[in-house]
Amino acid sequence: MEGTAKTTQALVSEYNRSSVLEYLYHNGVCSRAQLADALSLTPAALTKISARLLDTGIIEETGGIVGRKNRRSIGLRFASERLHVIGVKFARSLVQIGVFDLKGTPLSVTDLPDVTDETIPDAVRGVHETVGILLAQDPNVIAIGMAVPGPYLRTVGRTALVSSMQGWRRVNFLREFGGAFRVPVFVEQDARAGVLAQSLFSESADASNLAYYLLGEGVGLGVIDHGELINGAQGAATEIGHVSIDVNGRPCDCGNVGCLERYCSAVAIHHDLVEDGTIVPGAASMSHRKACMELFKASDEGDEAAQSMVESIGRFVGFGCVTIINAYNPDVIVLGDIVSHGGDRLLAAARRVVDERVLPELNDSTDIHLSDLPEDATILGAAAVAIDRFLDHPSDFLALGA
Amino acid sequence: MEGTAKTTQALVSEYNRSSVLEYLYHNGVCSRAQLADALSLTPAALTKISARLLDTGIIEETGGIVGRKNRRSIGLRFASERLHVIGVKFARSLVQIGVFDLKGTPLSVTDLPDVTDETIPDAVRGVHETVGILLAQDPNVIAIGMAVPGPYLRTVGRTALVSSMQGWRRVNFLREFGGAFRVPVFVEQDARAGVLAQSLFSESADASNLAYYLLGEGVGLGVIDHGELINGAQGAATEIGHVSIDVNGRPCDCGNVGCLERYCSAVAIHHDLVEDGTIVPGAASMSHRKACMELFKASDEGDEAAQSMVESIGRFVGFGCVTIINAYNPDVIVLGDIVSHGGDRLLAAARRVVDERVLPELNDSTDIHLSDLPEDATILGAAAVAIDRFLDHPSDFLALGA
């Protein structure tokens, strides 16, 4: 039975190390005294924890800083540049692979050739090859994060549906990649990965109730509620793209009717642009992303038909915000991915719907804004999946002893 | 700094006591060795914890039981009858007050006179008086739980909206009752209270991803995700009644359009029955509950128009289930309160919608059933709010020392 007592002790140690790392990660250089205060640890415990972490190189001492009572003391910092992760973003037609440091700074990003339903096996092979090369080149990579379109059945390892590209359903990501490399692989649904990226890398990081509203080829959502991801039994919760906004509306591949995704995803917008034929001439031969970006460009340049369409899309985005507020009551909703490039006009239209349709007390306390992360937020999300895991379980990645 | 180390130790002790109590609560009589095994505690730690708990009387020793290796050992049991809680259910027009033991066994239930918008101050006074009398009569009451209609702003202490009875918005439950009695008061939104009742008292208790779908005068939802309530920033998450199923549908008092509550709450059904005029004659002069129960009775007795209306209500209930599955991915959805008395016909209609509209992988793993708790599930929920708090923080209620 001594063994189980040690196990409990090990869990407490790991929790404390994780707390120290996360605090330094989010707060920059701190003295040991500041850390001990902030985390309610004794100075002796903090000294022990920091010694172990210093040994691994993941934190390091800086010159003297001004600490409590204006006394100078040694600072500790998180050496985020010392270790790297690989992020792999699987979208319907796009696979991107990047290497990042632990602060999400991109060191390299590679786009694989555009994927169609027929070339999915090639894309899977491409991921094996490219990741293999990157791992061989960079000994500092400690983990791989993957972001895949939802609904993703985490316990099974594959997506339950990828609207308009069913071929991805045949790929079991856990079986395909789980044990394929010298470092561990963690897979998450893309919007859930996106909210981890927001919480790690963005200014919104201090919101403990945060929603990331992914408006890409699909529409997805990741929600952090009181610091924890909302998961659901199979990791398939928060599938806002398949929540109906009209039970008599447009049918969806998932079986439901009136799914939000059928109105304001890049795929739906592209479809509407092709049908329209005039706002974006030649839309039929463009990628989903390209067609949307052309629409937004026309709108920004003053084309009234384009502006009216962006506002109509913004209303549908707003209907989604209303549902998100009533369903999850977050502090912050961050709009990201392709459709968020509709910018202020789209955001204003969404906000008007929220102003009309949400209870004032809830509306007043919910901030809605566009993502302030760079373009490749979902591939950053893939990296975030790995980094989040590292910060939660440092002993799985560092030689920290018991 | 020694103080903070002790604080951490106190938290660990409290966690371990809470674990022991919860295990005995859910698993009946156990030996110390079984408990130590199940909770990964050393025998020494378990002996210390159980001694403290035995001193308070909340657990007690039973005669010898057959334990490990068929040796007889002393059993421990949770003495749920030793302590009591008061539960207060506030519905739109009904206030019920009950005394329960810690297993939710009702010792007494009192209905206050029917409430209208004008008589809310009387109802509030009635709660003060009745609870005061019950507390004076029963020294074993340790806490009061209250269940109020949602959306309830937990941090503020009042409901943001009670459709069709706005007067309740003026009552600040925390200010009104928070410090009014000799025992602490805990307030929760009614459906959230309902899911706590399901997890404490029902056969569904072992589902760690559980949704309670309250179909009463309003429509509400409480969700436990991996053992924790989904709360939202202000405690106003999971407001399924105000999630729109048709953005061009029926307007709702909350400002939204097409709210689920406008189609399958007892209030909406009552409205439809009055408009119909033939299925339940005299519906206009009945309470919401009475009108619904007459409809279900007519349906059970073979009235075809009533059956068709029950099926139509069931379809709307089903649209809600589809949203719940896509939004929260629970293992189990429990239908409760007034409208669940529509019974198997209503449930079958809801399930048909789910079969049509939910991805097979998610549908197969989601069990939908009617509540197996007695009629007064929400007042049980009010009691559950207090009992849940007791099990989580036993030291707040028992003299357990440091």
Side-chain angles (χ1 to χ4, degrees), chain A residues 80-96:
Chain A
S80 57
E81 68 288 355
R82 296 284 292 270
L83 296 176
H84 302 157
V85 298
I86 291 175
V88 185
K89 167 184 174 165
F90 295 86
R92 281 153 183 76
S93 58
L94 180 73
V95 176
Q96 284 186 306

Side-chain angles (χ1 to χ4, degrees), chain A residues 68-110:
Chain A
R68 288 193 305 181
K69 298 176 188 157
N70 281 328
R71 271 183 289 196
R72 294 189 71 78
S73 56
I74 301 291
L76 296 175
R77 68 177 283 275
F78 187 97
S80 57
E81 68 288 355
R82 296 284 292 270
L83 296 176
H84 302 157
V85 298
I86 291 175
V88 185
K89 167 184 174 165
F90 295 86
R92 281 153 183 76
S93 58
L94 180 73
V95 176
Q96 284 186 306
I97 304 176
V99 183
F100 298 85
D101 75 9
L102 296 185
K103 275 288 187 188
T105 313
L107 306 173
S108 77
V109 175
T110 309

Side-chain angles (χ1 to χ4, degrees), chain A residues 58-355:
Chain A
I58 189 58
I59 66 172
E60 55 188 25
E61 293 187 332
T62 65
I65 58 167
V66 178
R68 288 193 305 181
K69 298 176 188 157
N70 281 328
R71 271 183 289 196
R72 294 189 71 78
S73 56
I74 301 291
L76 296 175
R77 68 177 283 275
F78 187 97
S80 57
E81 68 288 355
R82 296 284 292 270
L83 296 176
H84 302 157
V85 298
I86 291 175
V88 185
K89 167 184 174 165
F90 295 86
R92 281 153 183 76
S93 58
L94 180 73
V95 176
Q96 284 186 306
I97 304 176
V99 183
F100 298 85
D101 75 9
L102 296 185
K103 275 288 187 188
T105 313
L107 306 173
S108 77
V109 175
T110 309
D111 287 8
L112 295 193
D114 273 7
V115 188
T116 65
D117 235 357
E118 289 70 42
T119 62
I120 287 174
D122 300 331
V124 168
R125 209 171 311 116
V127 171
H128 277 288
E129 284 171 13
T130 308
V131 171
I133 292 167
L134 292 169
L135 283 172
Q137 288 169 344
D138 185 345
N140 294 322
V141 172
I142 53 160
I144 299 166
M146 296 186 171
V148 304
Y152 172 71
L153 305 171
R154 195 193 295 147
T155 46
V156 181
R158 62 177 181 74
T159 59
L161 171 90
V162 185
S163 298
S164 68
M165 193 175 283
Q166 295 274 357
W168 279 118
R169 286 188 64 186
R170 288 190 292 271
V171 180
N172 186 308
F173 291 88
L174 286 182
R175 264 212 298 273
E176 187 66 47
F177 301 113
F181 306 107
R182 68 163 165 83
V183 297
V185 175
F186 307 101
V187 188
E188 259 299 357
Q189 176 252 45
D190 49 9
R192 219 185 292 276
V195 79
L196 292 177
Q198 294 291 332
S199 77
L200 288 176
F201 310 133
S202 143
E203 310 267 304
S204 322
D206 53 347
S208 64
N209 290 264
L210 180 64
Y212 177 68
Y213 186 9
L214 183 155
L215 297 152
E217 295 188 348
V219 170
L221 182 73
V223 181
I224 293 178
D225 182 41
H226 290 273
E228 298 289 331
L229 268 181
I230 295 179
N231 282 307
Q234 296 155 289
T238 67
E239 275 299 338
I240 193 80
H242 297 288
V243 169
S244 174
I245 59 166
D246 180 357
V247 293
N248 302 306
R250 300 179 180 178
C252 178
D253 290 348
C254 77
N256 204 358
V257 170
C259 289
L260 181 62
E261 180 163 301
R262 295 285 288 106
Y263 300 87
C264 59
S265 65
V267 171
I269 296 166
H270 190 189
H271 180 267
D272 292 346
L273 284 171
V274 171
E275 201 147 85
D276 166 86
T278 61
I279 300 176
V280 176
S285 60
M286 295 177 187
S287 69
H288 303 314
R289 162 183 282 273
K290 174 75 175 162
C292 290
M293 296 309 272
E294 290 295 316
L295 168 68
F296 300 143
K297 189 159 151 263
S299 166
D300 289 343
E301 288 169 1
D303 180 314
E304 284 185 20
Q307 290 178 348
S308 155
M309 186 166 172
V310 169
E311 280 165 24
S312 159
I313 297 164
R315 278 189 69 78
F316 283 108
V317 171
F319 295 144
C321 288
V322 174
T323 295
I324 292 167
I325 292 171
N326 284 310
Y328 307 105
N329 180 213
D331 288 320
V332 178
I333 301 175
V334 180
L335 275 51
D337 221 299
I338 303 172
V339 182
S340 72
H341 291 286
D344 289 337
R345 182 176 298 274
L346 182 134
L347 180 61
R351 279 201 178 128
R352 275 196 298 275
V353 169
V354 172
D355 289 343

